[in-house]
Amino acid sequence: KIKDLGKDDAGEYTLKTNTGTSSAKLGVEDRPVKIKSGLKDVKALDKDPEVVLEAEVSEADGEVTWLKDGKPIPKKLLDSGKVQIIADGKKRKLKIKDLDKDDAGEYTLKT
């Protein structure tokens, strides 16, 4: 029995006895990440200091991707600090600072 199974437990396990051996391979996959609580529509005003979009996923270490109008959030917005992606336990947040009309659009959280 393997407790707290993780990816580092993957591999080949062998049982050896005086009369022979038996081996089996164990593969460990990521648990599927599901959205437990989805994004809600937000209305903001031009020049608002910030807005936060928030959702909850099923796994605290679950990987997600944020999209705006069907495309990944541009790296330059992340690098500048205008947009922040936050993982806080099972919560996933997208914070947009110093709002302007270019920030309007459809934002999607994809698992």
Side-chain angles (χ1 to χ4, degrees):
K1 184 174 185 177
I2 301 173
K3 293 183 180 183
D4 299 323
L5 185 69
K7 284 196 165 201
D8 55 341
D9 294 311
E12 186 170 357
Y13 290 83
T14 303
L15 170 66
K16 293 182 181 182
T17 68
N18 292 336
T19 59
T21 63
S22 179
S23 296
K25 290 182 182 177
L26 173 65
V28 180
E29 298 178 358
D30 287 330
R31 183 177 304 275
V33 179
K34 297 178 182 167
I35 296 174
K36 291 180 71 177
S37 174
L39 299 171
K40 294 183 174 42
D41 289 344
V42 174
K43 288 189 179 187
L45 299 174
D46 191 23
K47 306 296 183 208
D48 274 353
E50 71 179 33
V51 68
V52 178
L53 303 174
E54 184 176 320
E56 185 175 345
V57 295
S58 59
E59 303 297 320
D61 61 351
E63 302 262 340
V64 300
T65 303
W66 286 93
L67 307 173
K68 179 185 179 216
D69 298 326
K71 298 177 185 169
I73 305 292
K75 187 173 177 351
K76 68 179 183 179
L77 293 178
L78 297 169
D79 290 345
S80 72
K82 177 170 174 56
V83 175
Q84 284 182 290
I85 295 174
I86 302 163
D88 181 14
K90 293 182 180 182
K91 293 189 187 294
R92 297 296 180 269
K93 300 175 186 179
L94 184 74
K95 184 186 287 188
I96 306 166
K97 298 179 181 179
D98 302 321
L99 294 172
D100 59 42
K101 292 180 182 182
D102 291 338
D103 297 318
E106 182 176 356
Y107 290 84
T108 306
L109 178 72
K110 184 177 173 185
T111 60

